[in-house]
Amino acid sequence: NFMLTQPHSVSESPGKTATISCTRSSGSIASNFVQWYQQRPGSAPTTVIYEDDQRPSGVPDRFSGSIDSSSNSASLTISGVKTEDEADYYCQSYDSSNEDVVFGGGTKLTVL
Amino acid sequence: EVQLVESGGGLVKPGGSLRLSCAASGFTFSNAWMSWVRQAPGKGLEWVGRIKSKADGGTTEYAAPVKGTFTISRDDSKNTLFLQMNGLKTEDTAIYYCTAASMNFDPYFFYYWGQGTLVTVSS
């Protein structure tokens, strides 16, 4: 299987823009959809972006997703970061060859 | 309202077995691809395995670490998903989440999540 690599942590000040990357180790990032999940301490994950760039209803439009074939990576961008956005964020995709699901290692977003 | 409620977690000795259940409601369970995802204490998310809907063949796929020791099954008449775990190891200690895909989206997208059940493997 390929791997999805995320930065271990990202810090940003309130009101600024935070970007979390997710780099695919082999195969094209565009081959399979990428999802992003938010997980606050003690809670189950929830979806903030699905199918690369789609936002579920109820998720603020401050959250956006994109993919970049040149860097073979996906990105989660949170504009106007708020303290309530502090959480762990995971990207997720799957391997077409065997249908295995792959998660990134997670990124801890700190807003300070 | 969609609900996924896991049960069956607890403390088990290494080499032991445990069966987790996930009761689903609020969506058409029989049409959904269902998966288990786990999270070891302080660690990231790890996919455990999946069972497809009967309409899509009802087949199962497993992550390499659990292949041959974990078995996923479903009872569509009771809207319930199961995870049979045998030969448990200390590294299987984790919160186990039940997840469901939606027919309206990519089937590998975990649209719904349960709150999880904790499995602790320790002597």
Side-chain angles (χ1 to χ4, degrees), chain A residues 33 35 37 39 42-47 49-51 56 88 90 92-94 98-105, chain B residues 33 37 39 43-47 50 52 61-64 67 97 104-106 108-111 113-116:
Chain A
F33 284 126
Q35 276 70 236
Y37 303 98
Q39 187 179 33
S43 296
T46 61
T47 306
I49 294 290
Y50 67 95
E51 295 180 355
D88 293 326
Y90 296 89
Q92 173 256 312
S93 189
Y94 63 95
N98 56 13
E99 297 190 90
D100 280 3
V101 169
V102 180
F103 281 100
Chain B
W33 290 19
V37 173
Q39 186 170 36
K43 302 297 184 183
L45 301 173
E46 179 185 25
W47 176 70
R50 162 200 313 118
K52 295 182 178 178
E61 291 84 33
Y62 299 94
K67 200 171 292 186
Y97 295 102
N104 297 321
F105 306 108
D106 183 51
Y108 304 94
F109 162 33
F110 303 127
Y111 191 76
W113 292 72
Q115 285 306 302

